Amino acid sequence: MTGRMLAFMLASLTLIAIPGPNMIFIVTRSAAHGMRAGLASAFGVETGTLVQLTLVGAGLATLVAASPVAFSVIKYAGVGYLAYIGLRALYNARKPAAADAPPAARRRLFLDGVLVSALNPKVALFFLAFLPQFVRSEGELPAFGAVFIALGLAADIACCFAANAIGRWLRVRSGGSRVVGSIYLGLGLFTAVSA
């Protein structure tokens, strides 16, 4: 299993490095609201990944992959949620930017992160196509899932630090929230038109 695990780790790191909704969510939250907000978002995203892995283990992801209707429902729920986050950021652009989100806002960012990750049907399809290349039995799924989440969380935290550093500059610009809102609306549009 050691060789398979090392190969899995290398492949996972390669895939984690490709920007997607989860990474963009963490980067924009860190840049807009500070390190604590970014960390809350990162833990939310990885909790959403845990939800996806649980669904894979329960076989529900296979149902989503086999049903175009179920896939579309989850896909467009994710698109709607990305659009909602974007519109909320555009609305908040009129308010002064806070250097650090208060605890209540961090709880909301955590839940947003869970939803961004859990409503991404491509994550489930990724696990369906990716994990069988390495996992030989259902008993190995928790170990491989834990490794994937740990690697994802490490990458997320690195993104938090980098985004927080540029976020200090972004927060003093009046257009910071407008940029974030536009990114989410664009991401929602991209997700809606992608296969």
Side-chain angles (χ1 to χ4, degrees), residues 47-57 61 74 116-125 127:
T47 301
T49 302
L50 180 60
V51 169
Q52 290 279 11
L53 282 165
T54 302
L55 293 176
V56 167
I74 293 172
V116 164
S117 185
L119 290 177
N120 187 348
K122 291 181 182 180
V123 173
L125 294 177
F127 284 134

Side-chain angles (χ1 to χ4, degrees), residues 1 7 21 113 132 149:
M1 182 165 130
I149 288 172

Side-chain angles (χ1 to χ4, degrees), residues 8-18 148 151-152 155:
F8 175 77
M9 290 172 70
L10 287 173
S12 296
L13 286 171
T14 302
L15 292 166
I16 288 167
I18 299 170
F148 186 85
L151 293 171

Side-chain angles (χ1 to χ4, degrees), residues 9-179:
M9 290 172 70
L10 287 173
S12 296
L13 286 171
T14 302
L15 292 166
I16 288 167
I18 299 170
N22 294 353
M23 185 183 292
I24 291 170
F25 177 74
I26 292 164
V27 167
T28 56
R29 299 299 87 191
S30 298
H33 301 290
M35 188 66 185
R36 290 180 185 170
L39 290 173
S41 301
F43 280 101
V45 162
E46 295 311 325
T47 301
T49 302
L50 180 60
V51 169
Q52 290 279 11
L53 282 165
T54 302
L55 293 176
V56 167
L60 294 177
T62 305
L63 176 66
V64 171
S67 169
V69 173
F71 180 85
S72 293
V73 166
I74 293 172
K75 174 182 174 178
Y76 289 111
V79 166
Y81 199 69
L82 289 171
Y84 166 74
I85 292 172
L87 291 172
R88 195 171 72 200
L90 289 173
Y91 174 77
N92 289 334
R94 293 182 267 169
K95 301 175 184 176
D100 196 15
R106 288 195 297 270
R107 281 191 294 276
R108 176 60 189 247
L109 291 171
F110 174 85
L111 293 174
D112 285 348
V114 172
L115 288 173
V116 164
S117 185
L119 290 177
N120 187 348
K122 291 181 182 180
V123 173
L125 294 177
F126 161 73
F127 284 134
L128 282 174
F130 187 63
L131 282 178
Q133 308 299 317
F134 300 97
V135 176
R136 299 287 185 260
S137 69
E138 277 190 34
E140 291 181 348
L141 184 61
F144 280 84
V147 167
F148 186 85
I149 288 172
L151 293 171
L153 187 59
D156 295 345
I157 290 171
C159 287
C160 288
F161 279 105
N164 186 51
I166 63 168
R168 291 187 195 103
W169 174 81
L170 183 62
R171 282 190 291 272
V172 299
R173 302 280 183 240
S174 61
S177 290
R178 283 190 279 283
V179 170

